[in-house]
């Protein structure tokens, strides 16, 4: 979910508070192109279509003015988060308590969010206790942090493979936490000979990248300003010294530079100066291309409960659209079977928004037919601040979906 926007140039007042007490998230449902244009006067990052809602975080001091503006322009809205500060405080307190508990018990709690160091230590533990798993460094970030993938393999080099990544957008913590749980589940299912994992791994390897944007993820944890819990981009320098970072999911060499991304370094969806200019994207792309035998590419995001396939950059059907739609539909049904969670299925362009330079399009355009993007829970009640007590349920239902896709890919070689 891209549109979770802080307001507002229109109000001609700078909101400098570091606390969000009383800030609300409004969901705005523009009903015409004229209303979209009015919203753009309110917030420059708005690029949603009429069919897509826009979620905005409004400072408490601006709530009356913003709501009055929307009412006067007959633009429908609802309050979906009543107090952002309360959610932030609760999240941080839970993390502190969990870290203390894990330290005392020498355990790992999958129903909790973790920082980068803890996730990397978890990956080490998993790899050190299983011959199935290896931790592979694929490069370093702009701030010189290591980038790792977990390789699940029963042996052999460059066998047909499945790629899964999470966290390319830093603030989408549920994607990282889900990927952590998935790594453990794949290992358990193989060890316990639980179908279909042994069968899949007898024919294919699985590569799982839990943190695709390490610099951004660390920034969401360590910054003293709570605003940066909602940081989306990387942390590289740009042409504007006041605006750091690139949207790594608009930087891929997939119709780069089109209208489905911004050329403004201060925008949330800033695409970067050129295709694959960012070292993080270069590292992933180089690894996948040098391997040369990936058959599926899946990326985990949040939020809005969507399961999508190419294209994002254009509104025409991909050559494999019928098959991809059928696979996604069946996968979403498998997901729904766990907890009843409903996902919307379709192409990126028609389901969420136009997106140029997205990783799924990049993979598909390079012959990786089974390419999918997930937007995990929820649909806005908590947004990027999904409570930790929903991690395991989210991860398990996502596993049901991924498991279906992986088995399908295994059974349909090309």
């Amino acid at each position: 979910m891209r549109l979770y926007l802080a307001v507002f140039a229109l109000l001609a007042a700078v909101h400098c508070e570091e606390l969000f007490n009383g800030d609300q998230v409004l969901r705005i449902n523009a009903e015409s192109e004229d209303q979209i244009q009015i919203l753009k006067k309110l917030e420059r990052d708005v690029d949603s279509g009429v069919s897509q809602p826009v979620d905005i975080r409004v400072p408490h001091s601006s709530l009356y003015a913003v709501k009055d503006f929307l009412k006067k322009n007959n633009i429908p809205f609802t309050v979906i988060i009543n107090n952002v500060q309360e959610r932030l405080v609760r999240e941080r307190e839970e993390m502190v308590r969990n870290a203390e508990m894990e330290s005392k018990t020498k355990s790992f709690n999958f129903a909790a969010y973790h920082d980068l160091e803890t996730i990397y230590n978890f990956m080490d533990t998993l790899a050190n206790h299983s011959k199935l798993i290896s931790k592979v460094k694929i490069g370093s970030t702009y701030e010189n942090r290591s980038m790792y993938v977990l390789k699940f393999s029963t042996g052999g080099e460059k066998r047909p493979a499945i790629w899964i990544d999470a966290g390319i957008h830093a603030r989408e913590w549920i994607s990282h936490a889900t990927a952590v749980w998935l790594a453990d589940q794949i290992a358990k299912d193989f060890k316990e000979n639980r179908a279909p994992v042994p069968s899949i791994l007898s024919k294919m390897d699985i590569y799982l990248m839990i943190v695709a944007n390490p610099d951004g993820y660390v920034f969401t944890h360590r910054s003293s300003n709570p605003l940066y819990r909602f940081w989306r981009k990387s942390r590289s320098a740009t042409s504007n010294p006041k605006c750091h970072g690139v949207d790594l999911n608009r930087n891929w060499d997939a119709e780069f530079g089109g209208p489905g991304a911004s050329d403004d370094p201060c925008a949330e969806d800033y695409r970067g100066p050129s295709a694959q200019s960012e070292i993080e994207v270069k590292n992933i792309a180089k690894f996948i291309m040098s391997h040369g035998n990936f058959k599926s590419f899946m990326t985990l995001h949040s939020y809005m409960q969507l399961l999508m396939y190419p294209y994002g950059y254009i509104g025409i059907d991909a050559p494999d659209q019928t098959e991809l739609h059928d696979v996604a539909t069946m996968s979403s049904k498998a997901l729904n079977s766990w907890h009843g969670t409903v996902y919307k299925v379709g192409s990126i362009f028609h389901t969420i928004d136009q997106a140029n330079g997205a990783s799924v399009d990049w993979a598909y355009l390079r012959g990786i037919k089974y390419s999918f993007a997930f937007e995990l829970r929820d649909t806005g009640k908590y947004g990027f601040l999904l409570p930790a007590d929903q991690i395991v349920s989210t991860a398990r239902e996502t596993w049901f979906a991924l498991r279906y896709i992986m088995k399908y890919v295994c059974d349909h070689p090309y």
Side-chain angles (χ1 to χ4, degrees):
M1 180 71 180
R2 202 188 69 73
L3 294 165
Y4 195 108
L5 308 171
V7 188
F8 282 105
L10 177 75
L11 302 175
V14 178
H15 182 64
C16 297
E17 298 171 19
E18 290 197 348
L19 296 179
F20 298 154
N21 199 31
D23 290 13
Q24 294 182 346
V25 174
L26 307 183
R27 171 156 293 175
I28 301 173
N29 294 278
E31 296 177 333
S32 69
E33 289 301 326
D34 287 344
Q35 290 184 346
I36 289 292
Q37 295 307 311
I38 291 170
L39 285 178
K40 287 183 178 180
K41 296 177 182 178
L42 198 65
E43 167 55 54
R44 69 179 175 193
D45 276 350
V46 171
D47 62 0
S48 180
V50 173
S51 63
Q52 291 296 325
V54 179
D55 293 354
I56 57 174
R57 181 185 59 79
V58 186
H60 180 261
S61 59
S62 304
L63 276 172
Y64 177 82
V66 172
K67 291 178 178 179
D68 186 60
F69 175 89
L70 295 171
K71 289 174 182 176
K72 286 181 176 178
N73 286 280
N74 297 312
I75 301 176
F77 69 91
T78 55
V79 177
I80 59 172
I81 297 181
N82 193 52
N83 192 325
V84 175
Q85 181 67 18
E86 288 180 358
R87 298 277 171 83
L88 285 169
V89 169
R90 189 177 306 139
E91 182 179 73
R92 293 294 181 179
E93 288 177 345
E94 287 179 356
M95 288 189 67
V96 170
R97 287 196 300 270
N98 180 69
E100 292 173 349
M101 183 273 292
E102 289 183 341
S103 178
K104 289 178 182 178
T105 60
K106 306 299 181 184
S107 62
F108 188 93
N109 180 14
F110 291 97
Y113 293 111
H114 298 89
D115 61 19
L116 183 70
E117 181 181 5
T118 306
I119 290 174
Y120 279 2
N121 288 338
F122 160 78
M123 294 168 72
D124 286 332
T125 301
L126 205 60
N128 291 337
H129 287 82
S130 174
K131 293 181 180 179
L132 174 74
I133 306 166
S134 56
K135 181 183 175 186
V136 182
K137 182 176 178 178
I138 68 167
S140 298
T141 67
Y142 176 81
E143 293 181 338
N144 203 33
R145 292 184 176 89
S146 296
M147 298 179 69
Y148 294 110
V149 297
L150 288 176
K151 178 184 179 182
F152 298 80
S153 178
T154 55
E157 291 295 321
K158 297 187 177 180
R159 297 198 306 165
I162 292 165
W163 173 274
I164 305 169
D165 68 57
I168 200 166
H169 290 148
R171 63 193 175 190
E172 298 168 4
W173 285 11
I174 185 58
S175 67
H176 310 83
T178 293
V180 166
W181 188 93
L182 291 172
D184 184 69
Q185 190 65 31
I186 294 169
K188 282 182 178 178
D189 281 6
F190 182 81
K191 183 178 180 180
E192 298 170 7
N193 199 33
R194 188 180 298 129
V197 171
S199 175
I200 292 169
L201 287 173
S202 71
K203 301 175 184 178
M204 307 185 80
D205 294 339
I206 299 171
Y207 290 82
L208 174 59
M209 187 169 205
I210 296 175
V211 188
N213 178 8
D215 293 348
Y217 188 59
V218 168
F219 191 63
T220 65
H221 282 268
R222 292 186 183 174
S223 174
S224 60
N225 186 337
L227 172 64
Y228 295 126
R229 167 62 180 86
F230 303 110
W231 188 257
R232 171 183 169 96
K233 301 187 287 183
S234 67
R235 292 297 299 156
S236 58
T238 71
S239 58
N240 186 330
K242 295 182 179 180
C243 298
H244 289 80
V246 167
D247 182 343
L248 298 180
N249 201 39
R250 298 294 183 273
N251 188 244
W252 295 77
D253 187 10
E255 297 297 321
F256 176 87
S262 176
D263 61 359
D264 178 359
C266 298
E268 283 199 322
D269 62 343
Y270 173 52
R271 64 191 178 219
S274 60
Q276 293 174 201
S277 59
E278 304 310 291
I279 187 62
E280 295 85 358
V281 173
K282 283 180 182 176
N283 289 338
I284 298 171
K286 181 179 178 181
F287 182 82
I288 290 173
M289 294 304 293
S290 63
H291 181 283
N293 204 15
F294 279 95
K295 301 301 181 182
S296 178
F297 179 102
M298 291 179 279
T299 181
L300 307 182
H301 294 254
S302 75
Y303 59 92
M304 265 324 252
Q305 295 173 196
L306 308 172
L307 178 45
M308 301 173 290
Y309 47 81
Y311 295 118
Y313 74 90
I314 194 170
I316 64 172
D317 288 346
D320 303 292
Q321 189 272 342
T322 300
E323 183 182 12
L324 293 176
H325 188 84
D326 289 345
V327 173
T329 298
M330 294 305 296
S331 176
S332 71
K333 289 181 178 178
L335 182 152
N336 175 265
S337 70
W338 168 247
H339 196 267
T341 306
V342 176
Y343 270 51
K344 184 178 179 180
V345 172
S347 71
I348 297 170
F349 186 99
H350 291 296
T351 305
I352 189 168
D353 203 359
Q354 183 173 8
N356 287 71
S359 65
V360 167
D361 281 356
W362 175 87
Y364 185 76
L365 291 170
R366 277 146 190 81
I368 305 176
K369 179 164 70 167
Y370 300 111
S371 293
F372 299 95
F374 287 73
E375 294 279 354
L376 305 182
R377 292 190 192 177
D378 57 6
T379 57
K381 180 179 180 181
Y382 297 102
F384 299 120
L385 302 177
L386 193 73
D389 62 13
Q390 291 195 40
I391 290 173
V392 173
S393 189
T394 301
R396 187 174 293 278
E397 68 190 15
T398 304
W399 171 234
F400 280 27
L402 292 171
R403 194 172 62 182
Y404 176 86
I405 294 173
M406 290 193 292
K407 187 176 186 305
Y408 184 92
V409 173
C410 194
D411 293 343
H412 294 81
Y414 65 94

